[in-house]
Amino acid sequence: MTTSPLLALPGAVPAESSPAVAGHYGNPMVEQRRLERGEAIVDLSDRGVVTVTGPDRLSWLHSMASQSFDRLSPGEGIEALLLDAAGHIEHAVHAVDDGETVWLVVEGDEAASLAAWLDRMRFMLRVEVADRSAETAVLAAMSQAALDAAVAAYAPAGVALDWIDPWAAPRPGAHQYAEQAGHPASDWRLIERIVPRAALADAADAVAAGRAQVAGALALDALRIAAWRPRLASEVDEKTIPHELDWLRSAVDLGKGCYKGQETVAKVLNLGRPPRRLVLLHLDGSDTVLPAPGDEVVGEKVRPEPAEGESPERKVVGRITSSAMHHELGPIALAVVKRAVPAELPLIVLSHGIDVAAAQVEIVPAGAGAAVEVPRLPRLGVRKP
């Protein structure tokens, strides 16, 4: 990815995870508040954009993805996952159709591989796939007004390419493991606007002239973590299935037809339990240490009758996937832990040689079970009373 013109604004500091965009512009906490109020834009020009054109585009994508594409209306945005045969997540796409083209926003390093895979799957269908990352870019905000102040909507086919994140509420045909009451997703109103890459200079000019405000990637990530919102680049590894991240609520239509990985999706939902689960951690900030992705999460269990001076037993139960300093909640993190970890078990994050105490908030509950009751078959030879 080329360096964005927004990175040349005063105070811009490149993001550690993606130096092509700004991590912050001098004050991440102020930027969080501006972003949360819908006053600032975020530069996501490090994301990739893949397009699918042709009359068979919707039915073709529908046959491969976890989400329904066959009834997608122009201007409507959806989120979908592409899974392997075992149900593991391979790609996550933010999709919007303009009546002629489906535009897919993906992680920047995923665009080329996704485009190549889709191109191999065309067979005789009337579709064309292209990686448009070099000519288009993505800006985001929590309000349309903030985006409009920075750059005009892009509508090459007469329909604005604004993707509205469906995370705020479960979609029809979805399933949610998290408790309904008080779910923080209700405050998540992210809009991703696809624009010509040349328009990034216009957005930078608007910010420099005071017509628009800007926030860095750190601000967006802090709000995302607080909203329990999973992201492919951080929460997903080679073993992840959608249930573990509560991703069935926005990216999976449980009523649609066959697609690769569907058997695992249905089996775990209806008959089993997610083998791991996503949690939010409130971290002890007294040591001013913010854990890094990959840091180990351990459970500390005191033996029933510990000997004098005996330390509690420790066991690795998971790993940090994302962390941030939130302007209200303080240091927080998302972590993927083993299913059987009790909600009340004291947790510690091992980071930078320091023990960081962590209080767990269940997203996917430890007791999450099958969505249907399977009747128990009577044993052979046993008569009912």
Side-chain angles (χ1 to χ4, degrees):
M1 291 291 176
T2 57
T3 301
S4 170
L6 290 159
L7 194 53
L9 291 171
V13 176
E16 290 185 11
S17 59
S18 181
V21 298
H24 64 86
Y25 292 88
N27 197 329
M29 296 300 174
V30 171
E31 293 165 31
Q32 278 185 48
R33 297 186 184 97
R34 288 174 182 165
L35 184 60
E36 192 173 51
R37 292 194 300 264
E39 298 172 354
I41 62 168
V42 178
D43 183 5
L44 298 184
S45 60
D46 57 337
R47 304 290 168 91
V49 178
V50 175
T51 59
V52 181
T53 57
D56 294 332
R57 67 189 184 282
L58 295 178
S59 59
W60 179 60
L61 289 169
H62 181 82
S63 70
M64 298 184 291
S66 64
Q67 190 58 267
S68 294
F69 278 82
D70 59 342
R71 299 182 300 274
L72 190 61
S73 302
E76 180 185 1
I78 58 173
E79 180 179 35
L81 304 175
L82 295 170
L83 312 175
D84 67 13
H88 302 132
I89 299 171
E90 293 191 318
H91 298 282
V93 301
H94 299 168
V96 59
D97 184 72
D98 65 7
E100 297 179 359
T101 302
V102 178
W103 299 75
L104 307 175
V105 176
V106 298
E107 300 290 350
D109 58 0
E110 294 284 315
S113 61
L114 175 62
W117 181 80
L118 289 173
D119 198 53
R120 292 195 301 270
M121 300 299 292
R122 289 187 304 137
F123 303 113
M124 299 298 291
L125 294 173
R126 299 169 296 170
V127 294
E128 295 293 334
V129 179
D131 182 353
R132 305 283 293 275
S133 306
E135 60 194 85
T136 57
V138 180
L139 295 172
M142 292 292 182
S143 75
Q144 205 130 23
L147 287 166
D148 290 342
V151 63
Y154 182 44
V159 175
L161 298 181
D162 284 355
W163 179 81
I164 300 175
D165 195 338
W167 184 249
R171 287 181 57 87
H175 177 83
Q176 177 174 300
Y177 284 105
E179 296 291 336
Q180 292 280 1
H183 198 299
S186 58
D187 296 325
W188 181 257
R189 306 176 303 279
L190 188 70
I191 303 169
E192 292 180 355
R193 173 169 289 181
I194 302 171
V195 298
R197 190 160 285 271
L200 294 176
D202 298 333
D205 290 343
V207 174
R211 299 191 303 272
Q213 298 187 68
V214 70
L218 288 176
L220 179 62
D221 217 35
L223 299 184
R224 177 187 67 82
I225 293 169
W228 305 352
R229 208 319 176 200
R231 180 183 170 190
L232 182 81
S234 49
E235 275 63 60
V236 174
D237 61 24
E238 70 281 356
K239 299 185 295 182
T240 305
I241 62 175
H243 316 63
E244 296 173 334
L245 307 181
D246 208 13
W247 224 339
L248 300 182
R249 77 189 304 275
S250 64
V252 178
D253 181 352
L254 296 170
K256 76 179 292 287
C258 185
Y259 57 92
K260 189 166 66 170
Q262 183 194 20
E263 183 178 355
T264 297
V265 170
K267 184 176 180 180
V268 174
L269 175 66
N270 294 324
L271 302 178
R273 295 180 177 181
R276 301 178 299 177
R277 57 191 188 85
L278 187 68
V279 298
L280 176 77
L281 298 179
H282 288 280
L283 304 168
D284 178 11
S286 57
D287 288 311
T288 65
V289 171
L290 194 61
D295 283 349
E296 292 181 339
V297 179
V298 301
E300 194 167 72
K301 185 178 181 180
V302 178
R303 295 179 177 86
E305 296 181 3
E308 184 176 351
E310 185 178 24
S311 300
E313 180 182 358
R314 286 186 171 186
K315 185 177 181 180
V316 176
V317 298
R319 293 185 182 277
I320 296 293
T321 60
S322 304
S323 63
M325 185 66 69
H326 190 271
H327 70 97
E328 288 183 342
L329 302 177
I332 56 175
L334 291 176
V336 173
V337 301
K338 296 178 181 179
R339 178 189 68 203
V341 176
E344 65 279 4
L345 181 69
L347 298 179
I348 292 173
V349 180
L350 306 181
S351 182
H352 302 88
I354 297 174
D355 289 1
V356 181
Q360 178 188 166
V361 177
E362 290 187 310
I363 298 175
V364 177
V372 297
E373 291 292 333
V374 180
R376 299 188 64 178
L377 299 177
R379 293 170 57 190
L380 293 176
V382 177
R383 294 183 179 180
K384 293 183 178 181

